[in-house]
Amino acid sequence: SAVISQKPSRDICQRGTSLTIQCQVDSQVTMMFWYRQQPGQSLTLIATANQGSEATYESGFVIDKFPISRPNLTFSTLTVSNMSPEDSSIYLCSAGQGSVTGNTIYFGEGSWLTVV
Amino acid sequence: GQQLNQSPQSMFIQEGEDVSMNCTSSSIFNTWLWYKQDPGEGPVLLIALYKAGELTSNGRLTAQFGITRKDSFLNISASIPSDVGIYFCAGPTSGTYKYIFGTGTRLKVLA
């Protein structure tokens, strides 16, 4: 399994500002993803963080709003830009590795953002 | 697109009872993952299933990969108060390593 650390764990942000969330994995992983979980909802995939190249975004998410970096196999950042109250959510970093049996992904503790 | 529906949405049970929940899809999946999420925390992986018909246990938890590959089941035996939380199933979208998540089952235990 992979141990994933995220920071900040929680923050209150002013609308119109941007915040960068960091994700550190304790081992090299092939796959890193960013999810959003709105209050009382399930997890929604924002994008796949690709090492050394641009992230791959899911429908409804764009790079200008959620720029992502992944400079190496253990680290990624997600920025939530020009925040509005609708961006208040838990943002979760996940990482996974394939194996002979299959693929599994693990999660960090999440970053709980409240936009006021 | 692919969707995962979980039932029940929520349930109250008495401590000591067994619990069953399921996850269904209109599409075929080749992997099923089950997670538990406690308030204010990230999801924690409980069980991973990779083969149709597979039955896997983790302590009091048992999960099965449905034979049609369109569903999966999670059972919890002899529930205890710390079983409270939200249980999610997840599966990879067709031909990718990207996982989508089910709607969740919220478990509440009456002591």
Side-chain angles (χ1 to χ4, degrees):
Chain A
S1 67
V3 176
I4 302 167
S5 303
Q6 279 185 241
K7 55 182 181 182
S9 57
R10 192 175 288 264
D11 208 340
I12 299 174
C13 308
Q14 296 293 321
R15 74 173 68 200
T17 63
S18 300
L19 183 80
T20 296
I21 302 167
Q22 298 181 359
C23 176
Q24 180 73 54
V25 187
D26 69 340
S27 58
Q28 294 186 343
V29 290
T30 52
M31 303 176 286
M32 290 186 77
F33 307 97
W34 287 97
Y35 285 82
R36 181 175 73 183
Q37 186 177 26
Q38 294 176 304
Q41 302 296 310
S42 183
L43 285 73
T44 301
L45 181 63
I46 297 172
T48 303
N50 299 308
Q51 191 258 329
S53 64
E54 192 171 288
T56 306
Y57 290 85
E58 298 301 305
S59 176
F61 297 96
V62 295
I63 187 171
D64 289 347
K65 176 67 176 178
F66 298 102
I68 289 170
S69 78
R70 187 179 173 192
N72 56 51
L73 291 176
T74 64
F75 185 79
S76 178
T77 66
L78 167 74
T79 299
V80 186
S81 303
N82 188 24
M83 284 185 282
S84 67
E86 293 71 35
D87 294 320
S88 298
S89 293
I90 304 172
Y91 291 86
L92 293 151
C93 173
S94 73
Q97 193 76 284
S99 71
V100 292
T101 49
N103 302 306
T104 306
I105 61 171
Y106 300 90
F107 285 86
E109 292 285 316
S111 297
W112 194 308
L113 302 188
T114 302
V115 184
V116 296
Chain B
Q2 292 174 301
Q3 285 186 317
L4 296 178
N5 296 306
Q6 289 185 244
S7 67
Q9 277 190 314
S10 65
M11 56 194 309
F12 282 95
I13 60 168
Q14 289 281 346
E15 184 175 352
E17 284 185 348
D18 296 344
V19 175
S20 291
M21 61 188 79
N22 65 57
C23 181
T24 60
S25 171
S26 57
S27 305
I28 288 174
F29 282 79
N30 58 26
T31 299
W32 290 98
L33 305 178
W34 283 94
Y35 294 85
K36 177 175 181 269
Q37 186 177 30
D38 291 327
E41 299 186 10
V44 174
L45 181 67
L46 300 173
I47 294 178
L49 302 164
Y50 300 114
K51 198 162 43 171
E54 181 181 355
L55 188 71
T56 297
S57 293
N58 177 6
R60 293 179 296 105
L61 278 61
T62 301
Q64 183 162 24
F65 194 138
I67 201 72
T68 66
R69 296 172 59 193
K70 293 183 178 181
D71 53 14
S72 179
F73 309 90
L74 177 68
N75 297 311
I76 305 173
S77 62
S79 57
I80 59 178
S82 62
D83 290 332
V84 163
I86 306 176
Y87 292 80
F88 289 105
C89 63
T93 55
S94 178
T96 77
Y97 296 129
K98 300 185 291 185
Y99 281 81
I100 60 172
F101 279 72
T103 49
T105 292
R106 189 180 298 270
L107 188 62
K108 304 174 188 180
V109 177
L110 300 172

